[in-house]
Amino acid sequence: MAVWSGTWVSERLGIELTGDQRLRELLGLALRRNPKRAHLLVSNVLGKHVPQSPGVVWRSGYELGVRVRELLGPDDAARAVVLGYAETATGLGHSVADGLGTAPYLHSTRRPVPGVERAGGFEEAHSHATSHLLLPEDPALLAGPGPLVLVDDEFSTGNTVLNTVRALHARYPRERYVIVALVDMRSAADRGRLAGFASEIGARVDLVTLAAGTVRLPDGVLERGQALVAQHEAADAAGAAGAAGAAGLARAAGVAGVAGVAGVAGVAGVAGGGRPAGAASGAGGADVAGGVARAAGVAGVAGGGRPAGAATGAGGADVAGGAAGSPDGERPGDGAAAGGGRATSVPRVELGWPDGVPDGGRHGFTPAHRARLNDALPAMAARVADALGLAPGAQDAAPETADPAPHGGGDLPRVLVLGCEELMYTPLALGVALEKLGRAEVRFSTTTRSPVLAVDDPGYAIRTRLVFPAHDAPADGPGDRYAYNVAGAGFDAVVAVVDSAADTPALHAPDGLLAQLAAHIPHVLLAVVPSYAPAYAPAERAPMLPEPLRGPAFSSYAPEEVGWLLQDLSDVELEAPTEEREEAIQSGGAHYAESLPVEYQPSDRYQALFHAALDTSAARIARAVGTVTETVLAERSPRPVLVSLARAGTPVGVLMRRWALHRHGLDLPHYAVSIVRGRGIDANALRWLQQHHDAADVVFVDGWTGKGAITRELAAALEDFPGFDPEIAVLADPGSCVRTYGTREDFLIPSACLNSTVSGLISRTVLRADLVGPDDFHGAKFYRELAGADVSNSFLTTVTSHFDEVATAVDADVKELLATDRTPTWEGWAAVERISEEYGIHDVNLVKPGVGETTRVLLRRVPWKILAQRGAGADLDHVRLLAEQRGVPVEEADDLHYTCVGLIHPKYTRGATGADGKAVAHR
């Protein structure tokens, strides 16, 4: 009797699957490093992690589509549109569309395409880095009134699918939705949400699955799972070090693929189903491939630092399996790959792909496309079989059937058709057609971006793991990608299917996917499908912008709290003395954003004032946070994308995100971008946001308004970016410059008292031509060395602790605000103009109104004097202390619009400094 592939996890963590009898047939279990859920349900019929008969994979989705067609009836089925989720369910969704027969298909994507208008986008509920884009070639595809069929591999909590429906329903309302998944694994608590959700949006929502059940998780399973993953990862690291040494021995000896050396290294174990020919047993008990030399010709570590042919051995370690050079030499034009070494050359097969047929559903796939592809598939499969040298089989001339069944077994060669991340359906369809020929035992799976622990045990779902760098210039930047249960599985050949956008030097590099495959499988064949570009989109892709920087690598905030759309300039000397910066700025020799002030190091007395101010004002801040967040949710978007203006806005954005999560369970995306007075907002950051989100959902966030200069700057900058709302949401709006605020009082926000040490240890932003190119984000520094003085998270925690106690007051405030005329009066700007003239300054940029702006003047500029409301209390204690330390007079006034106003020295003109006589000297 075969061992269930969830046994290993179940025995160690007590996790159980309960429900339909088919669950254990459909699912296994594995572990991964994840802060919310350590276990992973591994599908045996999806074709992602577990190689499976392509006929079985396709039929699983096709039969679900047939059931949806029967559920909808002929009229509604004819009007339906199918939407699949990237990356895991792109092939499943396409197969469901096949089952409906007449439905066009679209899948979400993480690959933005310049020139293609977004029809929507969304975030997966469980991750900060899972942006989905909807990029149909036909903008009307999702706008019709017919049913929308949403397809995912599993329906676990339902959050992702329901959030998608909510977002799409707001833009394209319809009467009916059908949710399709292989398995329904919702908890009892989640099962009641679907009916309530349907009632909420006023639509019918049905659910169609192959099986249903639940996952029983014992107490403490997350912590124990994380510990188990950490234990095996530590063993992996030790195994990888030993493997590298063993590979070096092989290289020194001039011997490739020696079974003894492979045994010491612990090379890849067998993934389900027998030891491959020539395999030997490694020291750790792993089955190791003695036939590696047939494909590799040489063993050792690739120039890029990752062992060539890295695979997972008995303990789950990524170990060297041998380099993958080809006796035929390099592919013409490839040249040497990055990182050193020769590019991997493998034979190619020209598929004869039909012109105009998309490579998948990224931009839409119509029934007409389906018919043309089906007509071309037999000939394409025959070309692949011939290129592999597979002898003709008895079924070559057999008629097409609508229900392909797996063939193979006996002495037939074992062939894997391997897709690439989102590109699932094309290789699946090719695998089905190849399977029909009857010349080989065919299996299908795809690579993935999801890291999963590999353990070589029959009772574990992920037996081996190949690791290689991304090779399709992904929107989220470089990173590792994975192929599971491929190494050591006894395949005689693999057909790697990629689209032309993924046929890059990284694919052919010494540590790339092809090298990894060739190290473990004797025959590797490459098939490239033309990447489909809509007629109005440029064929060449624009330079890809990097993914946001996140803590702890950049900032002391947790990674999910904020993504910084900035470039890291931590290693660049940018600081200059305050006086030198001031004279350069006022003389016109430099812009304030071209350098940084020396970070203010607060005295013990000043730090005590900060903590006292925080204790006093935390509840008031929490109330303002709740009020502005609830106003945004009520008026701007039910699932806003928070974009704070770095850096004063960033703590506020984090707090707003925390409020939405605490009060409503909304896990809102939050980013920080740079805006510079006189230079505008970071245009590349806006482009990134356009690529990953609906611009209409973006809400810009700042800490407070002074006179409204940044408010005006943002509005002007967004004129070139239609779709974004220029209205800023702020904690405090004493200048009456915006409609969305927590309060219009000018009170102390303690995050204004300090610089980087209350803002995640990030500097203010930098914009300088020699550091920021046309395709770069603006820059900033991460002051890691100030970690000992960092109070960023203490500030957040203190304010968050008051959320419950202010909830009732927030509800009352919001009700009153929503019924109030909040049209900006710009009173603050008028007050600043009066002060500028009254004090003979004649430059509103040197007048900084409000507690926050006055504090900035004292910390970063050369102050002239401070104006304070007569009788102002503890809100100004820190201002008085800073003024005392810098020898700046404080004048009290009776009719001041703000609690205080900072005046920058209006004639600080000692002259610019620096080597060129203009720029500030950097110390």
Side-chain angles (χ1 to χ4, degrees):
M1 182 177 177
V3 178
W4 175 48
S5 62
T7 304
W8 192 92
V9 173
S10 181
E11 289 178 347
R12 285 157 179 78
L13 297 180
I15 297 175
E16 297 180 16
L17 298 187
T18 62
D20 295 351
Q21 291 185 348
R22 289 196 65 189
L23 281 180
R24 289 198 173 197
E25 170 194 338
L26 294 172
L27 298 173
L29 293 173
L31 298 179
R32 60 182 177 177
R33 181 177 290 280
N34 186 293
K36 297 182 180 180
R37 191 174 76 171
H39 72 280
L40 177 71
L41 299 176
V42 180
S43 173
N44 294 320
V45 297
L46 183 64
K48 176 56 72 172
H49 303 88
V50 179
Q52 178 59 274
S53 157
V56 169
V57 173
W58 178 82
R59 194 166 53 252
S60 298
Y62 180 87
E63 290 176 353
L64 284 167
V66 170
R67 289 174 55 191
V68 173
R69 184 176 64 202
E70 294 170 348
L71 172 70
L72 293 176
D75 292 340
D76 272 355
R79 300 188 305 147
V81 175
V82 181
L83 175 63
Y85 283 82
E87 66 176 54
T88 307
T90 58
L92 176 65
H94 211 139
S95 301
V96 169
D98 287 348
L100 265 85
T102 58
Y105 175 63
L106 175 74
H107 69 70
S108 65
T109 179
R110 297 191 181 99
R111 184 193 290 179
V113 178
V116 180
E117 183 178 352
R118 296 174 67 252
F122 52 91
E123 294 272 333
E124 284 187 40
H126 60 270
S127 173
H128 65 261
T130 49
S131 300
H132 290 250
L133 305 175
L134 298 179
L135 303 176
E137 181 174 19
D138 179 3
L141 182 65
L142 293 172
L148 182 63
V149 181
L150 299 101
V151 184
D152 208 353
D153 58 317
E154 65 179 76
F155 198 50
S156 50
T157 65
N159 288 336
T160 298
V161 174
L162 297 187
N163 289 340
T164 307
V165 172
R166 182 179 284 110
L168 289 175
H169 193 75
R171 177 177 285 194
Y172 311 113
R174 62 187 74 231
E175 296 179 354
R176 192 166 188 182
Y177 296 88
V178 180
I179 299 168
V180 179
L182 291 171
V183 291
D184 174 11
M185 301 302 291
R186 290 172 297 165
S187 66
D190 287 325
R191 288 182 182 274
R193 296 173 56 203
L194 193 58
F197 173 78
S199 177
E200 172 192 335
I201 65 172
R204 177 175 173 177
V205 182
D206 295 295
L207 177 64
V208 177
T209 64
L210 292 180
T214 58
V215 183
R216 289 185 178 175
L217 302 175
D219 292 340
V221 67
L222 177 60
E223 293 75 14
R224 290 190 291 116
Q226 290 172 335
L228 192 57
V229 171
Q231 172 188 338
H232 278 265
E233 285 180 343
D236 292 355
L249 290 175
R251 191 168 57 250
V255 178
V258 177
V261 174
V264 173
V267 178
V270 173
R275 174 178 292 138
S281 180
D287 292 326
V288 298
V292 170
R294 287 177 297 175
V298 61
V301 178
R306 179 188 283 110
T312 295
D318 296 330
V319 298
S326 166
D328 297 327
E330 295 181 21
R331 168 173 166 255
D334 278 349
R342 292 169 63 86
T344 303
S345 176
V346 301
R348 291 172 174 254
V349 58
E350 295 299 330
L351 293 175
W353 188 262
D355 291 339
V357 173
D359 54 285
R362 182 178 289 113
H363 305 299
F365 199 94
T366 67
H369 292 143
R370 182 180 299 115
R372 292 190 60 207
L373 178 60
N374 286 342
D375 288 344
L377 277 168
M380 289 194 286
R383 292 187 185 97
V384 170
D386 291 344
L388 291 173
L390 300 176
Q395 299 211 9
D396 271 67
E400 290 292 310
T401 65
D403 184 21
H407 300 283
D411 296 328
L412 288 177
R414 302 190 73 234
V415 175
L416 173 68
V417 179
L418 183 69
C420 175
E421 297 189 41
E422 292 179 11
L423 188 71
M424 292 189 71
Y425 182 77
T426 289
L428 172 61
L430 187 62
V432 170
L434 187 62
E435 192 172 50
K436 286 180 182 179
L437 295 180
R439 302 191 198 181
E441 180 186 342
V442 183
R443 292 293 180 265
F444 164 75
S445 65
T446 63
T447 65
T448 176
R449 60 178 57 205
S450 301
V452 185
L453 179 70
V455 178
D456 187 31
D457 187 284
Y460 188 82
I462 303 296
R463 302 286 300 278
T464 66
R465 179 175 80 168
L466 295 178
V467 188
F468 54 93
H471 55 88
D472 63 342
D476 55 355
D480 284 342
R481 299 294 187 261
Y482 309 91
Y484 295 111
N485 294 327
V486 172
F491 290 115
D492 299 288
V494 58
V495 183
V497 183
V498 304
D499 65 346
S500 54
D503 184 20
T504 63
L507 175 69
H508 301 266
D511 61 347
L513 172 61
L514 297 181
Q516 310 288 34
L517 295 173
H520 299 280
I521 299 174
H523 193 173
V524 180
L525 185 67
L526 176 63
V528 179
V529 179
S531 298
Y532 182 75
Y536 52 85
E540 294 297 324
R541 298 173 65 188
M544 300 301 295
L545 294 165
E547 278 296 282
L549 301 172
R550 295 185 183 271
F554 187 85
S555 89
S556 60
Y557 292 133
E560 66 273 12
E561 300 270 33
V562 60
W564 303 84
L565 294 175
L566 297 169
Q567 63 165 313
D568 188 353
L569 299 179
S570 300
D571 295 332
V572 181
E573 290 293 329
L574 291 165
E575 292 77 11
T578 300
E579 290 76 11
E580 292 186 7
R581 294 184 76 249
E582 192 65 46
E583 61 192 14
I585 292 167
Q586 291 202 28
S587 68
H591 190 278
Y592 77 89
E594 294 177 347
S595 62
L596 293 173
V598 176
E599 280 286 299
Y600 171 70
Q601 299 300 305
S603 63
D604 292 342
R605 182 181 170 193
Y606 188 86
Q607 289 183 26
L609 281 177
F610 165 80
H611 289 290
L614 179 57
D615 291 341
T616 301
S617 62
R620 182 162 53 165
I621 296 167
R623 182 172 174 177
V625 167
T627 300
V628 69
T629 308
E630 294 293 345
T631 303
V632 165
L633 293 173
E635 293 187 333
R636 301 287 290 275
S637 171
R639 287 194 63 82
V641 177
L642 303 177
V643 178
S644 57
L645 304 180
R647 72 186 162 180
T650 304
V652 178
V654 174
L655 286 170
M656 290 176 66
R657 182 183 179 279
R658 287 191 176 191
W659 178 277
L661 187 62
H662 178 81
R663 192 81 188 276
H664 303 288
L666 294 175
D667 192 1
L668 300 181
H670 173 217
Y671 307 98
V673 303
S674 169
I675 187 168
V676 176
R677 182 173 52 80
R679 303 283 182 87
I681 198 167
D682 187 338
N684 285 323
L686 293 181
R687 293 187 185 101
W688 190 94
L689 291 167
Q690 283 179 319
Q691 292 170 355
H692 291 79
H693 297 281
D694 188 341
D697 289 331
V698 169
V699 176
F700 293 98
V701 174
D702 208 355
W704 57 85
T705 62
K707 55 183 174 288
I710 290 298
T711 305
R712 295 185 175 187
E713 189 81 46
L714 179 63
L718 292 179
E719 289 179 359
D720 294 330
F721 290 87
F724 289 102
D725 187 340
E727 174 83 16
I728 304 178
V730 298
L731 208 56
D733 179 36
S736 187
C737 306
V738 299
R739 293 186 69 260
T740 309
Y741 53 83
T743 179
R744 276 184 168 158
E745 296 179 26
D746 181 20
F747 73 100
L748 172 61
I749 301 172
S751 60
C753 293
L754 299 170
N755 285 325
S756 67
T757 52
V758 78
S759 302
L761 298 181
I762 301 301
S763 73
R764 65 167 304 138
T765 60
V766 174
L767 178 58
R768 211 175 76 195
D770 61 325
L771 297 174
V772 179
D775 298 321
D776 295 330
F777 293 139
H778 293 189
K781 299 185 74 166
F782 175 26
Y783 291 117
R784 298 170 178 84
E785 65 275 15
L786 300 181
D790 187 24
V791 294
S792 303
N793 288 290
S794 173
F795 168 72
L796 297 173
T797 301
T798 302
V799 175
T800 303
S801 69
H802 291 273
F803 280 175
D804 286 332
E805 73 181 66
V806 303
T808 301
V810 166
D811 291 341
D813 290 345
V814 173
K815 183 177 180 180
E816 180 180 351
L817 276 178
L818 294 180
T820 301
D821 180 6
R822 289 166 282 135
T823 303
T825 63
W826 294 91
E827 295 175 50
W829 191 280
V832 166
E833 288 181 327
R834 288 195 300 270
I835 292 170
S836 176
E837 295 306 310
E838 180 181 343
Y839 283 84
I841 297 175
H842 309 301
D843 183 354
V844 292
N845 289 326
L846 299 181
V847 180
K848 302 295 184 181
V851 179
E853 293 301 307
T854 301
T855 304
R856 286 177 165 184
V857 169
L858 289 163
L859 292 177
R860 306 179 193 165
R861 304 295 293 270
V862 176
W864 179 34
K865 59 182 64 178
I866 305 300
L867 310 181
Q869 280 184 355
R870 193 178 306 280
D875 276 352
L876 295 189
D877 284 351
H878 75 291
V879 169
R880 295 187 182 96
L881 176 59
L882 287 173
E884 174 189 320
Q885 291 175 341
R886 299 199 63 179
V888 179
V890 178
E891 295 184 5
E892 293 192 337
D894 293 314
D895 56 351
L896 207 58
H897 178 78
Y898 296 88
T899 303
C900 62
V901 176
L903 304 181
I904 296 173
H905 199 297
K907 297 180 180 179
Y908 203 81
T909 54
R910 286 169 46 196
T913 61
D916 58 1
K918 295 182 179 180
V920 173
H922 308 300
R923 302 287 175 84

